[in-house]
Amino acid sequence: MHKGRYGIYGGQYAAETLMNELLRLEEVYQCCKGDPAFKAELTDLLKNYAGRPSHLYYAEKMTRDLGGAKIYLKREDLNHTGSHKINNVLGQALLAKKMGKTRIIAETGAGQHGVATATAAALMGMECEIFMGKEDTERQALNVYRMELLGAQVHPVTSGTMTLKDAVNETMREWANRVFDTHCVMGSVMGPHPFPLIVRDFQSVISREARAQILDREGCLPAAVVACVGGGSNAMGMFYHFIEDKLVRLIGCEAAGLGVDTKKHAATIARGSIGVFHGMKSYFCQDDQGQIAPVYSISAGLDYPGIGPEHAHLHDMGRAEYVPVTDDEAVAAFEYLARTEGIICAIESAHAVAYVQKIAAQFSKNESIIVCLSGRGDKDVAAIARYKGVDIHE
């Protein structure tokens, strides 16, 4: 990688008011990255507060039912706050403290990143404000209350499509207005450099653990690792320490919504094109004039119109595969995992589970697949019930 670039992707396309802060953030991060005291403090938080290492669970019933490869689930849903988001937030909150910041702000879609940010702020005694699309505040009302319970102020964003894209816009705008005491905790491997690098590094704990765990359990590497992809933080974390293992397939599952042949999807690699947005060069869903197109998914965490620049690079290299998964397929997988293994996963994670259902039988019984369960599904139960036409208030 050359100065925030992954091949032709990435970069630092930011407003002049943010450039000095981005340069300072990069400088502080590079210093902290090599600081034994910083690493020890973060490791202690991940272990004793967040609950790492997360389990690598052998899904025996799912394996038997699907045939073919042994299925392992990397249980990020068991982390404190219920998702992988805490890995990155604890690291960035520590960085903010090192920079003398007293306030952190963040964007959120499904609310898991917002909850993790509010949690870290409460733990470290910092002010916290979260920007969340108004539509997402309604379909993820439980997480809104969790954030408020933790002491955060939640701002419903009413511009644009009132979803994650617009929440990112408002967060960046607020940060530009108040950099002197505020750090923006970017939640995915996106945005201007150094955010894709920082988030990737903090989330790479997932694949570092998973690689060691599967070698311990199976004595060999997996045939594939699979994760859902919106902006791409859990997938990048799941992929990173397997990138050099050329025989391990890396598979990212995008939100196909109602289908990639409709306008109701968020399948950036499948239907997007190269552009610049939110401070980075990558693939985006956009029209012929380069305007960012509205996107849709049943998953509030995946309906982002772009993908992190390192994912774009992995795609172009042919190192990672990106496949579309529809709402119907994800909902069916959400129910399947619950009934087969007794695990209610996030609807985001269910996109990855759905694809594994399709491909497991293509592998031999001596091979394994690791699926990243990026979060738990408490937040999604009411929405899935509505989707299925079930009145949960009966």
Side-chain angles (χ1 to χ4, degrees):
M1 185 190 73
H2 175 69
K3 190 60 176 179
R5 290 285 182 177
Y6 307 86
I8 65 171
Y9 303 105
Q12 215 166 33
Y13 300 87
E16 189 175 343
T17 50
L18 283 177
M19 283 306 299
N20 284 339
E21 189 68 12
L22 288 167
L23 294 172
R24 183 180 175 222
L25 175 60
E26 181 183 9
E27 181 181 350
V28 171
Y29 174 63
Q30 291 298 343
C31 180
C32 288
K33 187 177 179 179
D35 179 9
F38 179 88
K39 290 192 286 187
E41 188 174 3
L42 177 57
T43 297
D44 180 70
L45 281 171
L46 290 172
K47 178 181 178 181
N48 295 312
Y49 188 69
R52 303 207 71 86
S54 65
H55 295 301
L56 186 68
Y57 169 74
Y58 174 46
E60 185 175 359
K61 287 181 64 184
M62 187 174 172
T63 297
R64 190 165 59 245
D65 181 63
L66 296 178
K70 299 174 186 176
I71 309 300
Y72 283 88
L73 309 177
K74 184 59 171 162
R75 297 294 304 277
E76 295 300 296
D77 58 313
L78 297 181
N79 294 339
H80 180 46
T81 72
S83 81
H84 70 292
K85 295 294 187 181
I86 195 72
N87 305 327
N88 165 55
V89 167
L90 288 173
Q92 285 204 53
L94 282 181
L95 278 179
K97 296 283 275 191
K98 296 289 185 186
M99 296 173 72
K101 307 296 186 180
T102 58
R103 176 176 176 256
I104 54 179
I105 61 174
E107 86 295 340
T108 197
Q112 291 300 95
H113 177 56
V115 168
T117 303
T119 299
L123 177 67
M124 299 184 190
M126 306 176 81
E127 289 182 61
C128 181
E129 297 186 34
I130 305 295
F131 294 84
M132 188 174 187
K134 187 174 183 296
E135 181 176 325
D136 292 340
T137 65
E138 293 169 356
R139 57 180 170 172
Q140 297 292 346
L142 174 62
N143 273 344
V144 173
Y145 182 66
R146 291 173 73 196
M147 288 181 264
E148 292 171 343
L149 185 63
L150 289 158
Q153 183 177 359
V154 181
H155 299 281
V157 176
T158 57
S159 58
T161 57
M162 299 187 288
T163 55
L164 181 56
K165 166 182 71 72
D166 311 291
V168 175
N169 290 342
E170 290 301 317
T171 306
M172 298 296 283
R173 186 176 295 117
E174 174 64 18
W175 190 33
N177 288 335
R178 196 171 155 179
V179 294
F180 63 92
D181 70 343
T182 298
H183 174 65
C184 172
V185 182
M186 190 67 74
S188 197
V189 286
M190 62 190 200
H193 178 69
F195 282 114
L197 170 68
I198 290 173
V199 179
R200 188 276 311 280
D201 284 354
F202 287 145
Q203 290 294 1
S204 69
V205 66
I206 302 172
S207 54
R208 184 167 65 246
E209 290 176 1
R211 193 177 188 281
Q213 289 167 326
I214 197 69
L215 286 173
D216 182 61
R217 297 284 289 276
E218 293 291 331
C220 61
L221 293 171
V225 294
V226 185
C228 64
V229 177
S233 62
N234 94 92
M236 202 66 245
M238 186 74 247
F239 292 173
Y240 186 65
H241 287 286
F242 291 104
I243 290 174
E244 297 304 315
D245 301 312
K246 302 301 184 184
L247 296 180
V248 179
R249 289 173 61 185
L250 310 178
I251 305 173
C253 303
E254 298 189 301
L258 302 186
V260 293
D261 294 325
T262 74
K263 293 184 178 181
K264 292 281 192 174
H265 66 80
T268 307
I269 295 292
R271 286 292 183 266
S273 55
I274 297 172
V276 175
F277 186 55
H278 283 160
M280 61 180 176
K281 184 175 184 178
S282 190
Y283 283 97
F284 299 95
C285 294
Q286 52 192 330
D287 63 22
D288 294 340
Q289 284 72 48
Q291 297 300 308
I292 298 301
V295 291
Y296 161 80
S297 169
I298 190 173
S299 160
L302 299 183
D303 64 351
Y304 181 67
I307 193 169
E310 191 164 6
H311 283 295
H313 182 51
L314 289 174
H315 167 262
D316 282 9
M317 290 170 57
R319 180 63 192 93
E321 309 162 43
Y322 296 86
V323 296
V325 175
T326 67
D327 284 359
D328 283 349
E329 291 170 329
V331 170
F334 178 87
E335 295 179 324
Y336 174 80
L337 189 63
R339 292 168 181 171
T340 305
E341 293 289 345
I343 298 171
I344 300 174
C345 71
I347 191 61
E348 290 81 12
S349 312
H351 285 69
V353 175
Y355 194 68
V356 169
Q357 287 180 274
K358 291 182 179 180
I359 66 171
Q362 299 170 14
F363 296 82
S364 78
K365 295 182 183 298
N366 294 323
E367 294 178 302
S368 63
I369 297 172
I370 303 177
V371 190
C372 186
L373 284 196
S374 57
R376 69 179 186 231
D378 312 48
K379 65 184 180 60
D380 299 309
V381 170
I384 300 301
R386 287 194 297 271
Y387 183 85
K388 298 285 291 185
V390 176
D391 184 353
I392 62 174
H393 300 294
E394 286 182 350

